[in-house]
Amino acid sequence: MLPYINAPFSYVAGNLGASVDELKLITSFLLSYPFAGVLKRIPDSKPYQKNVFIIAVSVFYLVGLFDLWSGVRTLLISSVGAYAIAAFIEGPFMPWIGFIFLMGHLSVNHIYRQFINAPDKVDITGAQMVLIMKLTAFCWNVHDGRLPQKDLSDFQKERALPQLPSILDYAAYVLFFPSLFAGPAFDYVEYRRWIETTMFEVPPGMDPSKMPPTRKKRKIPRSGTPAAWKAAAGIFWILAFLKFSTWYNNDLVLGTQYMRYGFLRRVWILEMLGFTARLKYYGVWALTEGSCILSGIGYKGVDPKTGKVQWNRLQNVNPWGIESAQNSRAYLENWNMNTNNWLRNYMYLRVTPKGRKPGFRASLATFVTRYTSLGRPLKLIVFEDFRRHVRPFFLTPDGKTGTPYKRYYDILSYFATQTAFCFTTAPFVLLTMPNSLLVWARVYFYCLIGVAASMAFFASSAKPWLIKELAKRNNSGLQRTLSQESLQEPMHGLPNDPGQEFDEILKEVREEVEARRRKGITRSETVPEGTELKAGTEKKLGKRL
């Protein structure tokens, strides 16, 4: 750590009541803007200078600002390990070996973090989680580069790496300072296209005069204005978080005063606690996205319809989409959007054999990867049941236009979605199981009871009755609606119809049991026991036991 660098942070932290490390983290996000401005002005013809500058700034953050020497070691272990696995291991299991290595390393650090129990201290696990998405994707990209083109999807062809990058390019990709601590994550091909400036070339068939303006001989378009707007939005969200956190915090819901309010007031406070926690993420992700935009890597091309430059390549959150969400899909697809893409492209679709539709194995792998609690899949099942079997009653038979009563369904679904997610996400704010259970008990476990009641309702004869009535009312309209829903991409790697996935699990288990019964296979035939096991062992060893 640089000498005396803590002094101004300690002084400000004492006045604001914040921790020193939290102020340092926000400062690093703000410092990334002038650093990104310098990075953008390094000549495009000297990419090695850009790489060295990126590494130097990240080392300053890790060591000069935070004194995270152990963090440097952690990032080094993960990045060197992933590069070595990609370089020296071939075959279909290489990406999975890399995944297990990286996730195992992260799990060890998370357990250590739990033992320390210092949430106000910045450690390296945040940066490590971002890095894991980048490195697991890197392993898959290298693997794809070794496969025939005909075996790859369009997405995989675009990201495939036939050759390993140089150590300098790889190190700068790993330590890209605008997204070092909080993301967003991106694939190596995107970094290479940025560092080589091929990202900014005129697309085929586009009029060059419609390309965004640049300065001097730089190929990176002007990005100061969109970056400034993102910075302003980030600062606004951070200030809002600081204000709201004085009103809605953990001490309020855990204290005795909370129980003096009525049930609806307690639910409202729980909702506002979740909203306050989200404000912090809105601010952090807006700040980091803004510095990425200023560096140029946030460039997504020119909209062919409007002719406007798009800077949302690395957008990670859509606050309005979340706060106005009327269903689980809208909520999840607007939150942690880059993680959504990573889970879909490097987990959900990767565990599916070629030529087959993703099934419950893909969903299970995604659940485990995301450390998803049981409550979320069950909640998604209920939401999808309502959407498929109740919502169509409020639409015209073709499923395209709402009836006059559709607004009431929208209002109810909005409140159901928001109150369900504030209940489900409470443990991520409260951090400990005892505190989470206490707060849940104080609102009478309303979400769990609602999910259980809804599942019981749809498991009864009510569901077939609804299907029958909808078929009678809509004729073929319902089928078209369901077909359109099936075309939607899975959210956060989760399936469009979780209930169907669980039905598939049961179906496969039944088929396996039936197949074994037809073959006459019994437990005693597949797993020898007692004297039979002893005799077999003696035969293998060639001596008596």
Side-chain angles (χ1 to χ4, degrees):
M1 185 186 297
L2 295 178
Y4 310 112
I5 199 169
N6 258 1
F9 294 104
S10 299
Y11 175 78
V12 176
N15 291 331
L16 293 180
S19 72
V20 171
D21 276 6
E22 288 173 342
L23 286 178
K24 284 184 178 181
L25 189 62
I26 298 299
T27 301
S28 72
F29 297 148
L30 296 176
L31 284 176
S32 290
Y33 282 82
F35 285 142
V38 174
L39 174 63
K40 185 178 179 180
R41 284 159 176 77
I42 296 175
D44 295 337
S45 60
K46 298 180 180 179
Y48 70 93
Q49 292 184 0
K50 292 188 177 184
N51 286 333
V52 171
F53 181 76
I54 289 169
I55 295 170
V57 173
S58 290
V59 171
F60 162 69
Y61 285 165
L62 292 167
V63 178
L65 192 61
F66 285 104
D67 200 27
L68 282 173
W69 287 100
S70 61
V72 174
R73 180 188 62 205
T74 296
L75 299 184
L76 189 65
I77 291 172
S78 291
S79 54
V80 171
Y83 193 90
I85 289 170
F88 299 112
I89 299 178
E90 297 188 6
F93 296 109
M94 182 274 285
W96 296 113
I97 294 172
F99 175 81
I100 293 171
F101 164 74
L102 292 166
M103 291 298 290
H105 188 204
L106 174 65
S107 298
V108 170
N109 288 333
H110 270 314
I111 293 172
Y112 177 71
R113 174 74 166 168
Q114 290 294 319
F115 280 117
I116 293 179
N117 192 26
D120 59 332
K121 297 289 185 182
V122 170
D123 74 331
I124 203 60
T125 55
Q128 191 181 7
M129 286 187 285
V130 176
L131 185 60
I132 276 183
M133 289 191 287
K134 296 168 73 172
L135 296 183
T136 50
F138 175 79
C139 289
W140 276 110
N141 298 151
V142 173
H143 171 70
D144 292 340
R146 297 168 179 169
L147 297 177
Q149 289 284 299
K150 62 182 180 64
D151 294 339
L152 303 177
S153 66
D154 292 339
F155 176 86
Q156 293 166 354
K157 291 176 184 177
E158 182 186 357
R159 262 79 172 169
L161 295 175
Q163 294 181 338
L164 286 173
S166 68
I167 298 297
L168 183 61
D169 285 348
Y170 178 76
Y173 166 67
V174 167
L175 296 174
F176 190 70
F177 68 83
S179 62
L180 177 65
F181 289 113
F186 48 88
D187 291 349
Y188 177 78
V189 167
E190 294 175 289
Y191 179 79
R192 186 181 65 188
R193 292 180 61 211
W194 170 77
I195 200 76
E196 295 175 351
T197 67
T198 57
M199 177 185 290
F200 312 104
E201 293 177 351
V202 180
M206 183 175 180
D207 184 357
S209 63
K210 294 184 178 180
M211 290 295 290
T214 60
R215 286 185 180 275
K216 299 180 180 179
K217 295 182 179 181
R218 290 199 301 267
K219 293 184 179 180
I220 302 176
R222 298 178 183 178
S223 56
T225 300
W229 279 111
K230 279 292 178 183
I235 293 173
F236 169 78
W237 292 124
I238 293 295
L239 292 176
F241 165 73
L242 293 175
K243 185 62 177 179
F244 274 79
S245 61
T246 62
W247 299 330
Y248 304 101
N249 48 57
N250 291 3
D251 292 337
L252 174 61
V253 296
L254 295 173
T256 57
Q257 178 65 29
Y258 186 58
M259 291 305 295
R260 296 174 185 171
Y261 300 121
F263 171 72
L264 293 180
R265 178 76 178 275
R266 295 201 296 273
V267 173
W268 166 254
I269 291 174
L270 186 62
E271 166 63 29
M272 293 306 297
L273 178 67
F275 172 72
T276 302
R278 290 194 297 274
L279 290 174
K280 178 171 62 176
Y281 289 96
Y282 296 162
V284 167
W285 283 335
L287 288 175
T288 56
E289 185 189 352
S291 57
C292 287
I293 290 173
L294 188 59
S295 72
I297 201 170
Y299 177 75
K300 198 180 179 180
V302 179
D303 189 326
K305 295 182 179 179
T306 63
K308 294 183 178 180
V309 182
Q310 296 176 311
W311 291 100
N312 60 341
R313 175 184 292 275
L314 300 180
Q315 182 181 5
N316 210 28
V317 67
N318 177 8
W320 174 249
I322 292 171
E323 302 306 330
S324 63
Q326 298 175 11
N327 55 70
S328 58
R329 170 172 290 278
Y331 196 103
L332 291 176
E333 68 184 4
N334 287 292
W335 175 262
N336 214 351
M337 298 157 72
N338 286 288
T339 300
N340 185 1
N341 295 330
W342 174 74
L343 284 170
R344 180 181 186 275
N345 294 313
Y346 298 110
M347 180 55 59
Y348 187 74
L349 297 179
R350 295 290 182 164
V351 299
T352 305
K354 184 180 177 181
R356 293 187 59 183
K357 180 183 176 181
F360 81 88
R361 292 184 181 88
S363 301
L364 180 61
T366 307
F367 291 157
V368 173
T369 303
R370 194 161 178 79
Y371 302 105
T372 308
S373 64
L374 181 62
R376 182 172 293 179
L378 295 179
K379 184 174 66 181
L380 290 176
I381 292 173
V382 170
F383 282 154
E384 288 298 327
D385 275 334
F386 274 103
R387 182 172 180 81
R388 288 175 178 269
H389 305 301
V390 177
R391 181 174 178 268
F393 282 107
F394 297 89
L395 301 174
T396 55
D398 60 4
K400 296 180 180 179
T401 308
T403 66
Y405 299 100
K406 176 66 162 48
R407 69 184 69 180
Y408 303 111
Y409 175 87
D410 291 341
I411 293 172
L412 288 175
S413 61
Y414 170 78
F415 282 107
T417 299
Q418 297 296 329
T419 55
F421 272 97
C422 81
F423 180 93
T424 306
T425 58
F428 294 96
V429 180
L430 300 169
L431 298 178
T432 68
M433 181 63 73
N435 287 347
S436 302
L437 291 175
L438 174 62
V439 172
W440 279 354
R442 288 181 166 184
V443 291
Y444 309 125
F445 298 97
Y446 69 85
C447 185
L448 297 180
I449 294 174
V451 168
S454 299
M455 292 187 70
F457 173 79
F458 286 108
S460 69
S461 58
K463 185 173 182 178
W465 180 82
L466 289 173
I467 295 174
K468 180 181 178 181
E469 291 299 313
L470 283 174
K472 185 189 306 181
R473 174 182 180 269
N474 297 347
N475 294 325
S476 60
L478 177 61
Q479 295 300 322
R480 287 195 295 270
T481 301
L482 296 181
S483 299
Q484 292 166 2
E485 289 183 1
S486 66
L487 295 176
Q488 295 178 327
E489 294 184 353
M491 51 186 174
H492 283 265
L494 302 178
N496 294 318
D497 187 359
Q500 183 178 350
E501 300 294 332
F502 282 92
D503 291 340
E504 184 182 341
I505 295 174
L506 297 177
K507 180 181 177 182
E508 289 200 15
V509 171
R510 293 192 192 100
E511 289 177 350
E512 178 66 21
V513 172
E514 184 62 29
R516 284 175 167 267
R517 184 179 293 112
R518 285 198 302 267
K519 294 178 181 179
I521 299 176
T522 63
R523 173 180 173 83
S524 61
E525 291 174 328
T526 55
V527 183
E529 298 178 340
T531 56
E532 183 182 355
L533 177 61
K534 181 179 179 182
T537 305
E538 290 176 342
K539 183 178 180 180
K540 289 288 185 182
L541 296 176
K543 63 179 182 179
R544 297 184 62 82
L545 298 177

